[in-house]
Every structure is written in structure tokens, then in C-alpha cells.
Amino acid sequence: MLTLYSYWRSSAAYRVRIALNLKGLVYRQVPVHLVKDGGQQHAAEYRALNPQELVPLLVDAGSGAGEARIAQSLAILEYLEEVFPVPALLPADPVQRAQVRALGLHIACDIHPLNNLRVLQYLSGQLGASDEAKNAWYRHWVDTGLAAVEEGLAAFAGRLSLGERPGYLEACLIPQVYNARRFDCDLTAYPRILEMVARCESLEAFRNAAPEVQPDAQ
Amino acid sequence: MLTLYSYWRSSAAYRVRIALNLKGLVYRQVPVHLVKDGGQQHAAEYRALNPQELVPLLVDAGSGAGEARIAQSLAILEYLEEVFPVPALLPADPVQRAQVRALGLHIACDIHPLNNLRVLQYLSGQLGASDEAKNAWYRHWVDTGLAAVEEGLAAFAGRLSLGERPGYLEACLIPQVYNARRFDCDLTAYPRILEMVARCESLEAFRNAAPEVQPDAQ
């Protein structure tokens, strides 16, 4: 049995929900509220499961080695790919796999961590940044990052990362665009991204992973 | 032939140098100075190779599909693992692979991006943060992140991530600790990390990857 510790608005958790859905895997969700109670991810009970104090966390009770606890969304995606290889999230060719991972990692390393909740809280709190300065920071990293992703998508020539199917790349991209829209970022300069997002948003795996339809959505 | 676009002090490039050395691969380095000329990673010539405008970039002229250009250090590590599988950087067991990746990704996603050069420049520049505030920011994310890594290392019971051999995990950890020391972070609370670092620092693959001995070191 697969259990996902998740928060509806966490875009890292959103990536994993998409991947689980694309693979047709059944999972239950345990909500971890990132704001309430000073952040439930910092509670002793959750820290015992995941010392990183972040969501998502996947617990696989059926792994060969007993109950496996896996943190970090991209480690979870690789784990799912290795343990449940069909349908694949990554292309078969090593160079294409690397190109897809490089775009996903660009989102996961160079856009998202700069804009997640704990960082925005530090900017407002310890650094005393105004809302205006905080929003400018947010948009700066979104723009810098998505401009590079837009160029990277040229290699796919209007197709999805697995040809007619989405996978690892789209599981990273769609949550990032969801975040960008939440903060009113202007995305008109990124037509390839918008086209890829539009194609994915019509698919059930993505619709069922969307923040608004999660059990803990508010 | 393998070519690594690198900057001696980039800890992401340092990860890749370690991985290349651990696999015994011969490569040439092309230095990209991240400060000089307003940052050579932003020059048109480099942008044409890597629109992400970051180092490292690996160019594999001998890939089956012609010249492959691969950005993002962790995408490069996975590529090397797939194309040059021996010696391995990751354990064979899927759960152990996931645990190692989760620790590496925690460093690469949740510590390093918050403390890299372009972010520190934004804090000083656009946000007007003092040196003191900037250093406090740096140490905050190092402390938060390394505390979690320290707990994660308990699973290895004093051994390296591949038993007697280092791999992916150590390729991520040693550059992060190098950075932390550069900013005078107090690491005494992390004895497992310090022991792992000490074991690696005596190995040739790590010594030859160190920033100070790179051709562009200043």
C-alpha cells in the first residue's frame, strides 16, 4: 500500500500525485498542513517519519525491505519509475532522459525552492521584506527559470515529453505553472509552456492531482 | 569525449567532478567565470549551449545521438550512471537508491539553491540585505538542511553510501560542506557528516575534484 503525506497546495506533493496517477497507482493521502499549528511538518510525529520536515513523503508498505519511507518529490518519481516501470515517466534513451531530468531539476532546484512557503516566510519575517518586494522576488525566479524551460521545450517540437504521453517533465512543469498563476505571473512569453500545460490539464491524471480537488483543500 | 563547463567554486560543478573521477572518466574542463564580465554564464555563446545560464554543463561528444549537452548536476550524475554504469554511484536496491537520492536532492534542492551566488547577489542588491543578514540567511539554510542530512545518515551506521565506497550521496555532501566551511558555519553538531567528509577527503577522486586544484582556481 502506498501512502502519500501531502499538502494540497505544495507543488512538490502535486508532482507526486501526478506521477502516481499517470502510473495508475492507488494511494491514500495523509494531509500535513504546512501553516496550521505552526506547521504540522515540524511536529514530532511527522519529524520521526521525515527529518527533512517537508512534504511530500511516500510510504510504501509493500516494498521488499518492509516499510520504505521516501522523501523528496524527484526521488519519489525515480523510485516509482524503478519499482512500477510501466507506463514509463521517462523516455528510454539516456540522452533524452537526461534532457527531461535537466528541465525537471531546473524547476525543482532553481525555481521552486526559492519560492516555497518557508522562504517567503523568512523574507517577510527575518528580512522584513514588503509584500511588494516578496512578490517581485517570486516573479524574478519564476521568470528566470521559465524562460530557460521555454527554450528547453523547443527540443520537443510541440509534442509531450514522451511523444503523445506526458511524464516526469509534465509532472514538474504543471505544478510550477499553477504556482506562477497563483502569484499572477505573466506567462504570455512562454507559448510552448502554455501549450504543454493546456494539453495536460485536460487529462484525468492531472485533473485528479490538482490542488483544488484534494481532500485537504480549503 | 567529455567536456565539463565548470567554475572552480561552483558546488554543483564540484559534484560532477567528483562523480566523473569516481567513475574514472577522462574529461576536459572549460571554465565559465560566474563573476567576471558580469557572469560569463550569461554570455550569448554559453547561453546557446545552456539556456539555463548555470554551470555545470556536460557535453558528451561520443553519445549515440551525436553531441549531447546535459545541464543540471543531478541529471548529469544520473546520465553518467546510465551510460557508464561501472563503478556505480547508486546502490542497487530501489529503496536504498531512493534514500540516497532523497538526501542528495535535499542538499541540491533545499540547501544549495538558497545559497548560491545569484541569490546572495539578489539579497544584497534588490533587497538591500546587510552582510550580516546575508550571512545569517546562509547559515539558517545550511543548519536547517544539514540537521536533516545528519539524521538521514544514521541509516548508514558509519559506513559510506555504498558500504566501503562513496558515490552519489558523497558527491552531493562534500561540496555542500566545503561551502558551509567557506561561510564559517559551525558543523560540530553533525558528527556523522564530519566523519563521512573526512573519509572522502582522503580519497584521490575527491582531492582531484576540490575547487582549489582546478585550472581556473584563483
PDB file of all heavy atoms in Angstrom, chain B residues 76-109:
ATOM      1  N   ILE B  76      23.175  15.111 -14.703  1.00  0.00           N
ATOM      2  CA  ILE B  76      24.468  14.616 -15.211  1.00  0.00           C
ATOM      3  C   ILE B  76      24.874  13.348 -14.450  1.00  0.00           C
ATOM      4  O   ILE B  76      25.317  12.365 -15.052  1.00  0.00           O
ATOM      5  CB  ILE B  76      25.555  15.706 -15.098  1.00  0.00           C
ATOM      6  CG1 ILE B  76      25.198  16.913 -15.982  1.00  0.00           C
ATOM      7  CG2 ILE B  76      26.921  15.139 -15.487  1.00  0.00           C
ATOM      8  CD1 ILE B  76      26.098  18.134 -15.797  1.00  0.00           C
ATOM      9  N   LEU B  77      24.702  13.354 -13.126  1.00  0.00           N
ATOM     10  CA  LEU B  77      25.044  12.154 -12.342  1.00  0.00           C
ATOM     11  C   LEU B  77      24.215  10.946 -12.805  1.00  0.00           C
ATOM     12  O   LEU B  77      24.751   9.841 -12.955  1.00  0.00           O
ATOM     13  CB  LEU B  77      24.827  12.398 -10.841  1.00  0.00           C
ATOM     14  CG  LEU B  77      26.068  12.815 -10.039  1.00  0.00           C
ATOM     15  CD1 LEU B  77      26.727  14.050 -10.588  1.00  0.00           C
ATOM     16  CD2 LEU B  77      25.738  12.989  -8.567  1.00  0.00           C
ATOM     17  N   GLU B  78      22.933  11.154 -13.034  1.00  0.00           N
ATOM     18  CA  GLU B  78      22.081  10.036 -13.495  1.00  0.00           C
ATOM     19  C   GLU B  78      22.502   9.581 -14.885  1.00  0.00           C
ATOM     20  O   GLU B  78      22.501   8.378 -15.193  1.00  0.00           O
ATOM     21  CB  GLU B  78      20.600  10.460 -13.507  1.00  0.00           C
ATOM     22  CG  GLU B  78      20.012  10.847 -12.151  1.00  0.00           C
ATOM     23  CD  GLU B  78      19.668   9.659 -11.249  1.00  0.00           C
ATOM     24  OE1 GLU B  78      19.723   8.509 -11.717  1.00  0.00           O
ATOM     25  OE2 GLU B  78      19.345   9.899 -10.061  1.00  0.00           O
ATOM     26  N   TYR B  79      22.857  10.528 -15.738  1.00  0.00           N
ATOM     27  CA  TYR B  79      23.317  10.192 -17.096  1.00  0.00           C
ATOM     28  C   TYR B  79      24.595   9.359 -17.036  1.00  0.00           C
ATOM     29  O   TYR B  79      24.707   8.312 -17.688  1.00  0.00           O
ATOM     30  CB  TYR B  79      23.552  11.477 -17.893  1.00  0.00           C
ATOM     31  CG  TYR B  79      24.116  11.253 -19.284  1.00  0.00           C
ATOM     32  CD1 TYR B  79      23.285  10.828 -20.325  1.00  0.00           C
ATOM     33  CD2 TYR B  79      25.463  11.456 -19.553  1.00  0.00           C
ATOM     34  CE1 TYR B  79      23.806  10.620 -21.609  1.00  0.00           C
ATOM     35  CE2 TYR B  79      25.984  11.249 -20.833  1.00  0.00           C
ATOM     36  CZ  TYR B  79      25.147  10.829 -21.852  1.00  0.00           C
ATOM     37  OH  TYR B  79      25.654  10.611 -23.108  1.00  0.00           O
ATOM     38  N   LEU B  80      25.542   9.802 -16.242  1.00  0.00           N
ATOM     39  CA  LEU B  80      26.803   9.054 -16.112  1.00  0.00           C
ATOM     40  C   LEU B  80      26.534   7.645 -15.593  1.00  0.00           C
ATOM     41  O   LEU B  80      27.131   6.666 -16.060  1.00  0.00           O
ATOM     42  CB  LEU B  80      27.765   9.789 -15.172  1.00  0.00           C
ATOM     43  CG  LEU B  80      28.277  11.148 -15.662  1.00  0.00           C
ATOM     44  CD1 LEU B  80      29.124  11.820 -14.579  1.00  0.00           C
ATOM     45  CD2 LEU B  80      29.089  11.005 -16.965  1.00  0.00           C
ATOM     46  N   GLU B  81      25.606   7.550 -14.653  1.00  0.00           N
ATOM     47  CA  GLU B  81      25.272   6.246 -14.068  1.00  0.00           C
ATOM     48  C   GLU B  81      24.658   5.313 -15.118  1.00  0.00           C
ATOM     49  O   GLU B  81      24.916   4.104 -15.112  1.00  0.00           O
ATOM     50  CB  GLU B  81      24.295   6.467 -12.904  1.00  0.00           C
ATOM     51  CG  GLU B  81      23.972   5.257 -12.079  1.00  0.00           C
ATOM     52  CD  GLU B  81      25.098   4.847 -11.125  1.00  0.00           C
ATOM     53  OE1 GLU B  81      26.237   5.336 -11.283  1.00  0.00           O
ATOM     54  OE2 GLU B  81      24.826   4.030 -10.237  1.00  0.00           O
ATOM     55  N   GLU B  82      23.866   5.884 -16.025  1.00  0.00           N
ATOM     56  CA  GLU B  82      23.215   5.047 -17.035  1.00  0.00           C
ATOM     57  C   GLU B  82      24.159   4.664 -18.174  1.00  0.00           C
ATOM     58  O   GLU B  82      24.086   3.565 -18.709  1.00  0.00           O
ATOM     59  CB  GLU B  82      21.974   5.763 -17.586  1.00  0.00           C
ATOM     60  CG  GLU B  82      20.859   5.843 -16.539  1.00  0.00           C
ATOM     61  CD  GLU B  82      19.613   6.596 -16.983  1.00  0.00           C
ATOM     62  OE1 GLU B  82      19.611   7.186 -18.076  1.00  0.00           O
ATOM     63  OE2 GLU B  82      18.640   6.588 -16.210  1.00  0.00           O
ATOM     64  N   VAL B  83      25.049   5.593 -18.536  1.00  0.00           N
ATOM     65  CA  VAL B  83      25.892   5.365 -19.721  1.00  0.00           C
ATOM     66  C   VAL B  83      27.218   4.697 -19.339  1.00  0.00           C
ATOM     67  O   VAL B  83      27.791   3.940 -20.131  1.00  0.00           O
ATOM     68  CB  VAL B  83      26.120   6.704 -20.450  1.00  0.00           C
ATOM     69  CG1 VAL B  83      27.059   6.542 -21.636  1.00  0.00           C
ATOM     70  CG2 VAL B  83      24.781   7.264 -20.936  1.00  0.00           C
ATOM     71  N   PHE B  84      27.694   4.984 -18.133  1.00  0.00           N
ATOM     72  CA  PHE B  84      28.956   4.381 -17.655  1.00  0.00           C
ATOM     73  C   PHE B  84      28.662   3.717 -16.304  1.00  0.00           C
ATOM     74  O   PHE B  84      29.058   4.233 -15.247  1.00  0.00           O
ATOM     75  CB  PHE B  84      30.038   5.458 -17.487  1.00  0.00           C
ATOM     76  CG  PHE B  84      30.251   6.325 -18.709  1.00  0.00           C
ATOM     77  CD1 PHE B  84      29.676   7.592 -18.789  1.00  0.00           C
ATOM     78  CD2 PHE B  84      31.021   5.875 -19.786  1.00  0.00           C
ATOM     79  CE1 PHE B  84      29.868   8.403 -19.910  1.00  0.00           C
ATOM     80  CE2 PHE B  84      31.219   6.680 -20.902  1.00  0.00           C
ATOM     81  CZ  PHE B  84      30.633   7.937 -20.974  1.00  0.00           C
ATOM     82  N   PRO B  85      27.946   2.595 -16.311  1.00  0.00           N
ATOM     83  CA  PRO B  85      27.387   2.072 -15.056  1.00  0.00           C
ATOM     84  C   PRO B  85      28.407   1.559 -14.031  1.00  0.00           C
ATOM     85  O   PRO B  85      28.056   1.442 -12.855  1.00  0.00           O
ATOM     86  CB  PRO B  85      26.462   0.937 -15.513  1.00  0.00           C
ATOM     87  CG  PRO B  85      26.853   0.616 -16.915  1.00  0.00           C
ATOM     88  CD  PRO B  85      27.472   1.845 -17.496  1.00  0.00           C
ATOM     89  N   VAL B  86      29.632   1.273 -14.467  1.00  0.00           N
ATOM     90  CA  VAL B  86      30.607   0.701 -13.535  1.00  0.00           C
ATOM     91  C   VAL B  86      31.809   1.637 -13.373  1.00  0.00           C
ATOM     92  O   VAL B  86      32.363   2.077 -14.385  1.00  0.00           O
ATOM     93  CB  VAL B  86      31.088  -0.682 -14.044  1.00  0.00           C
ATOM     94  CG1 VAL B  86      32.116  -1.280 -13.068  1.00  0.00           C
ATOM     95  CG2 VAL B  86      29.909  -1.624 -14.214  1.00  0.00           C
ATOM     96  N   PRO B  87      32.224   1.941 -12.133  1.00  0.00           N
ATOM     97  CA  PRO B  87      31.594   1.596 -10.860  1.00  0.00           C
ATOM     98  C   PRO B  87      30.335   2.432 -10.608  1.00  0.00           C
ATOM     99  O   PRO B  87      30.273   3.590 -11.015  1.00  0.00           O
ATOM    100  CB  PRO B  87      32.678   1.935  -9.835  1.00  0.00           C
ATOM    101  CG  PRO B  87      33.486   3.016 -10.471  1.00  0.00           C
ATOM    102  CD  PRO B  87      33.466   2.723 -11.946  1.00  0.00           C
ATOM    103  N   ALA B  88      29.384   1.845  -9.928  1.00  0.00           N
ATOM    104  CA  ALA B  88      28.105   2.513  -9.681  1.00  0.00           C
ATOM    105  C   ALA B  88      28.246   3.662  -8.688  1.00  0.00           C
ATOM    106  O   ALA B  88      29.104   3.630  -7.798  1.00  0.00           O
ATOM    107  CB  ALA B  88      27.091   1.505  -9.158  1.00  0.00           C
ATOM    108  N   LEU B  89      27.391   4.666  -8.859  1.00  0.00           N
ATOM    109  CA  LEU B  89      27.295   5.763  -7.889  1.00  0.00           C
ATOM    110  C   LEU B  89      26.151   5.537  -6.906  1.00  0.00           C
ATOM    111  O   LEU B  89      26.122   6.130  -5.827  1.00  0.00           O
ATOM    112  CB  LEU B  89      27.050   7.092  -8.610  1.00  0.00           C
ATOM    113  CG  LEU B  89      28.125   7.590  -9.573  1.00  0.00           C
ATOM    114  CD1 LEU B  89      27.649   8.848 -10.286  1.00  0.00           C
ATOM    115  CD2 LEU B  89      29.437   7.852  -8.836  1.00  0.00           C
ATOM    116  N   LEU B  90      25.190   4.716  -7.323  1.00  0.00           N
ATOM    117  CA  LEU B  90      23.990   4.462  -6.512  1.00  0.00           C
ATOM    118  C   LEU B  90      23.950   2.993  -6.090  1.00  0.00           C
ATOM    119  O   LEU B  90      24.419   2.120  -6.842  1.00  0.00           O
ATOM    120  CB  LEU B  90      22.733   4.782  -7.323  1.00  0.00           C
ATOM    121  CG  LEU B  90      22.420   6.255  -7.574  1.00  0.00           C
ATOM    122  CD1 LEU B  90      21.404   6.414  -8.705  1.00  0.00           C
ATOM    123  CD2 LEU B  90      21.884   6.918  -6.296  1.00  0.00           C
ATOM    124  N   PRO B  91      23.356   2.705  -4.925  1.00  0.00           N
ATOM    125  CA  PRO B  91      23.163   1.306  -4.531  1.00  0.00           C
ATOM    126  C   PRO B  91      22.248   0.596  -5.537  1.00  0.00           C
ATOM    127  O   PRO B  91      21.561   1.254  -6.330  1.00  0.00           O
ATOM    128  CB  PRO B  91      22.476   1.397  -3.167  1.00  0.00           C
ATOM    129  CG  PRO B  91      22.581   2.818  -2.740  1.00  0.00           C
ATOM    130  CD  PRO B  91      22.772   3.643  -3.963  1.00  0.00           C
ATOM    131  N   ALA B  92      22.206  -0.725  -5.501  1.00  0.00           N
ATOM    132  CA  ALA B  92      21.379  -1.479  -6.452  1.00  0.00           C
ATOM    133  C   ALA B  92      19.913  -1.549  -6.023  1.00  0.00           C
ATOM    134  O   ALA B  92      19.018  -1.555  -6.859  1.00  0.00           O
ATOM    135  CB  ALA B  92      21.946  -2.892  -6.607  1.00  0.00           C
ATOM    136  N   ASP B  93      19.666  -1.593  -4.730  1.00  0.00           N
ATOM    137  CA  ASP B  93      18.300  -1.768  -4.218  1.00  0.00           C
ATOM    138  C   ASP B  93      17.475  -0.479  -4.383  1.00  0.00           C
ATOM    139  O   ASP B  93      17.938   0.608  -4.012  1.00  0.00           O
ATOM    140  CB  ASP B  93      18.382  -2.131  -2.730  1.00  0.00           C
ATOM    141  CG  ASP B  93      17.018  -2.155  -2.086  1.00  0.00           C
ATOM    142  OD1 ASP B  93      16.230  -3.059  -2.414  1.00  0.00           O
ATOM    143  OD2 ASP B  93      16.710  -1.240  -1.280  1.00  0.00           O
ATOM    144  N   PRO B  94      16.255  -0.587  -4.931  1.00  0.00           N
ATOM    145  CA  PRO B  94      15.448   0.625  -5.195  1.00  0.00           C
ATOM    146  C   PRO B  94      15.180   1.496  -3.966  1.00  0.00           C
ATOM    147  O   PRO B  94      15.185   2.721  -4.080  1.00  0.00           O
ATOM    148  CB  PRO B  94      14.126   0.061  -5.738  1.00  0.00           C
ATOM    149  CG  PRO B  94      14.436  -1.301  -6.225  1.00  0.00           C
ATOM    150  CD  PRO B  94      15.580  -1.810  -5.404  1.00  0.00           C
ATOM    151  N   VAL B  95      14.947   0.872  -2.819  1.00  0.00           N
ATOM    152  CA  VAL B  95      14.681   1.683  -1.623  1.00  0.00           C
ATOM    153  C   VAL B  95      15.957   2.414  -1.200  1.00  0.00           C
ATOM    154  O   VAL B  95      15.932   3.613  -0.892  1.00  0.00           O
ATOM    155  CB  VAL B  95      14.131   0.818  -0.462  1.00  0.00           C
ATOM    156  CG1 VAL B  95      14.001   1.654   0.808  1.00  0.00           C
ATOM    157  CG2 VAL B  95      12.777   0.216  -0.844  1.00  0.00           C
ATOM    158  N   GLN B  96      17.088   1.722  -1.231  1.00  0.00           N
ATOM    159  CA  GLN B  96      18.348   2.385  -0.876  1.00  0.00           C
ATOM    160  C   GLN B  96      18.711   3.476  -1.883  1.00  0.00           C
ATOM    161  O   GLN B  96      19.236   4.523  -1.511  1.00  0.00           O
ATOM    162  CB  GLN B  96      19.478   1.361  -0.779  1.00  0.00           C
ATOM    163  CG  GLN B  96      19.359   0.464   0.446  1.00  0.00           C
ATOM    164  CD  GLN B  96      20.441  -0.606   0.496  1.00  0.00           C
ATOM    165  OE1 GLN B  96      21.509  -0.441  -0.084  1.00  0.00           O
ATOM    166  NE2 GLN B  96      20.165  -1.695   1.188  1.00  0.00           N
ATOM    167  N   ARG B  97      18.444   3.211  -3.146  1.00  0.00           N
ATOM    168  CA  ARG B  97      18.679   4.247  -4.156  1.00  0.00           C
ATOM    169  C   ARG B  97      17.849   5.488  -3.834  1.00  0.00           C
ATOM    170  O   ARG B  97      18.322   6.623  -3.935  1.00  0.00           O
ATOM    171  CB  ARG B  97      18.260   3.737  -5.551  1.00  0.00           C
ATOM    172  CG  ARG B  97      19.151   2.675  -6.111  1.00  0.00           C
ATOM    173  CD  ARG B  97      18.475   1.952  -7.276  1.00  0.00           C
ATOM    174  NE  ARG B  97      18.508   2.685  -8.531  1.00  0.00           N
ATOM    175  CZ  ARG B  97      19.538   2.691  -9.362  1.00  0.00           C
ATOM    176  NH1 ARG B  97      20.631   2.038  -9.059  1.00  0.00           N
ATOM    177  NH2 ARG B  97      19.477   3.353 -10.502  1.00  0.00           N
ATOM    178  N   ALA B  98      16.589   5.247  -3.475  1.00  0.00           N
ATOM    179  CA  ALA B  98      15.690   6.370  -3.171  1.00  0.00           C
ATOM    180  C   ALA B  98      16.174   7.148  -1.951  1.00  0.00           C
ATOM    181  O   ALA B  98      16.113   8.383  -1.926  1.00  0.00           O
ATOM    182  CB  ALA B  98      14.273   5.851  -2.955  1.00  0.00           C
ATOM    183  N   GLN B  99      16.674   6.424  -0.937  1.00  0.00           N
ATOM    184  CA  GLN B  99      17.143   7.112   0.277  1.00  0.00           C
ATOM    185  C   GLN B  99      18.348   8.004  -0.054  1.00  0.00           C
ATOM    186  O   GLN B  99      18.480   9.128   0.442  1.00  0.00           O
ATOM    187  CB  GLN B  99      17.559   6.095   1.361  1.00  0.00           C
ATOM    188  CG  GLN B  99      16.505   5.050   1.719  1.00  0.00           C
ATOM    189  CD  GLN B  99      15.278   5.610   2.411  1.00  0.00           C
ATOM    190  OE1 GLN B  99      15.112   6.823   2.445  1.00  0.00           O
ATOM    191  NE2 GLN B  99      14.416   4.754   2.921  1.00  0.00           N
ATOM    192  N   VAL B 100      19.246   7.467  -0.871  1.00  0.00           N
ATOM    193  CA  VAL B 100      20.425   8.235  -1.258  1.00  0.00           C
ATOM    194  C   VAL B 100      20.015   9.448  -2.093  1.00  0.00           C
ATOM    195  O   VAL B 100      20.476  10.575  -1.854  1.00  0.00           O
ATOM    196  CB  VAL B 100      21.410   7.330  -2.030  1.00  0.00           C
ATOM    197  CG1 VAL B 100      22.405   8.162  -2.832  1.00  0.00           C
ATOM    198  CG2 VAL B 100      22.138   6.398  -1.073  1.00  0.00           C
ATOM    199  N   ARG B 101      19.138   9.212  -3.063  1.00  0.00           N
ATOM    200  CA  ARG B 101      18.684  10.350  -3.880  1.00  0.00           C
ATOM    201  C   ARG B 101      17.982  11.405  -3.029  1.00  0.00           C
ATOM    202  O   ARG B 101      18.132  12.605  -3.269  1.00  0.00           O
ATOM    203  CB  ARG B 101      17.725   9.863  -4.974  1.00  0.00           C
ATOM    204  CG  ARG B 101      18.402   9.149  -6.138  1.00  0.00           C
ATOM    205  CD  ARG B 101      17.380   8.932  -7.242  1.00  0.00           C
ATOM    206  NE  ARG B 101      17.944   8.292  -8.426  1.00  0.00           N
ATOM    207  CZ  ARG B 101      17.607   7.067  -8.856  1.00  0.00           C
ATOM    208  NH1 ARG B 101      16.720   6.343  -8.190  1.00  0.00           N
ATOM    209  NH2 ARG B 101      18.154   6.574  -9.950  1.00  0.00           N
ATOM    210  N   ALA B 102      17.191  10.970  -2.054  1.00  0.00           N
ATOM    211  CA  ALA B 102      16.451  11.936  -1.231  1.00  0.00           C
ATOM    212  C   ALA B 102      17.412  12.826  -0.444  1.00  0.00           C
ATOM    213  O   ALA B 102      17.158  14.024  -0.283  1.00  0.00           O
ATOM    214  CB  ALA B 102      15.496  11.210  -0.286  1.00  0.00           C
ATOM    215  N   LEU B 103      18.521  12.256   0.030  1.00  0.00           N
ATOM    216  CA  LEU B 103      19.500  13.081   0.755  1.00  0.00           C
ATOM    217  C   LEU B 103      20.236  14.006  -0.212  1.00  0.00           C
ATOM    218  O   LEU B 103      20.459  15.182   0.088  1.00  0.00           O
ATOM    219  CB  LEU B 103      20.483  12.179   1.513  1.00  0.00           C
ATOM    220  CG  LEU B 103      19.880  11.463   2.729  1.00  0.00           C
ATOM    221  CD1 LEU B 103      20.842  10.395   3.260  1.00  0.00           C
ATOM    222  CD2 LEU B 103      19.544  12.462   3.832  1.00  0.00           C
ATOM    223  N   GLY B 104      20.602  13.485  -1.360  1.00  0.00           N
ATOM    224  CA  GLY B 104      21.275  14.329  -2.356  1.00  0.00           C
ATOM    225  C   GLY B 104      20.372  15.460  -2.825  1.00  0.00           C
ATOM    226  O   GLY B 104      20.800  16.618  -2.953  1.00  0.00           O
ATOM    227  N   LEU B 105      19.115  15.133  -3.081  1.00  0.00           N
ATOM    228  CA  LEU B 105      18.163  16.154  -3.528  1.00  0.00           C
ATOM    229  C   LEU B 105      17.881  17.168  -2.418  1.00  0.00           C
ATOM    230  O   LEU B 105      17.618  18.342  -2.707  1.00  0.00           O
ATOM    231  CB  LEU B 105      16.856  15.499  -3.995  1.00  0.00           C
ATOM    232  CG  LEU B 105      16.923  14.855  -5.383  1.00  0.00           C
ATOM    233  CD1 LEU B 105      15.827  13.808  -5.567  1.00  0.00           C
ATOM    234  CD2 LEU B 105      16.812  15.925  -6.486  1.00  0.00           C
ATOM    235  N   HIS B 106      17.909  16.716  -1.185  1.00  0.00           N
ATOM    236  CA  HIS B 106      17.700  17.676  -0.096  1.00  0.00           C
ATOM    237  C   HIS B 106      18.803  18.739  -0.119  1.00  0.00           C
ATOM    238  O   HIS B 106      18.539  19.934   0.038  1.00  0.00           O
ATOM    239  CB  HIS B 106      17.676  16.954   1.247  1.00  0.00           C
ATOM    240  CG  HIS B 106      17.237  17.830   2.373  1.00  0.00           C
ATOM    241  ND1 HIS B 106      16.024  18.472   2.380  1.00  0.00           N
ATOM    242  CD2 HIS B 106      17.864  18.215   3.517  1.00  0.00           C
ATOM    243  CE1 HIS B 106      15.915  19.201   3.487  1.00  0.00           C
ATOM    244  NE2 HIS B 106      17.011  19.061   4.185  1.00  0.00           N
ATOM    245  N   ILE B 107      20.023  18.279  -0.352  1.00  0.00           N
ATOM    246  CA  ILE B 107      21.138  19.233  -0.480  1.00  0.00           C
ATOM    247  C   ILE B 107      20.962  20.092  -1.742  1.00  0.00           C
ATOM    248  O   ILE B 107      21.075  21.313  -1.703  1.00  0.00           O
ATOM    249  CB  ILE B 107      22.481  18.468  -0.526  1.00  0.00           C
ATOM    250  CG1 ILE B 107      22.755  17.831   0.842  1.00  0.00           C
ATOM    251  CG2 ILE B 107      23.625  19.388  -0.961  1.00  0.00           C
ATOM    252  CD1 ILE B 107      23.899  16.837   0.856  1.00  0.00           C
ATOM    253  N   ALA B 108      20.655  19.433  -2.852  1.00  0.00           N
ATOM    254  CA  ALA B 108      20.626  20.135  -4.142  1.00  0.00           C
ATOM    255  C   ALA B 108      19.401  21.028  -4.305  1.00  0.00           C
ATOM    256  O   ALA B 108      19.456  22.021  -5.039  1.00  0.00           O
ATOM    257  CB  ALA B 108      20.688  19.123  -5.290  1.00  0.00           C
ATOM    258  N   CYS B 109      18.291  20.677  -3.652  1.00  0.00           N
ATOM    259  CA  CYS B 109      17.067  21.481  -3.792  1.00  0.00           C
ATOM    260  C   CYS B 109      16.838  22.395  -2.601  1.00  0.00           C
ATOM    261  O   CYS B 109      16.293  23.486  -2.773  1.00  0.00           O
ATOM    262  CB  CYS B 109      15.825  20.590  -3.915  1.00  0.00           C
ATOM    263  SG  CYS B 109      15.716  19.695  -5.460  1.00  0.00           S
TER     264      CYS B 109
END
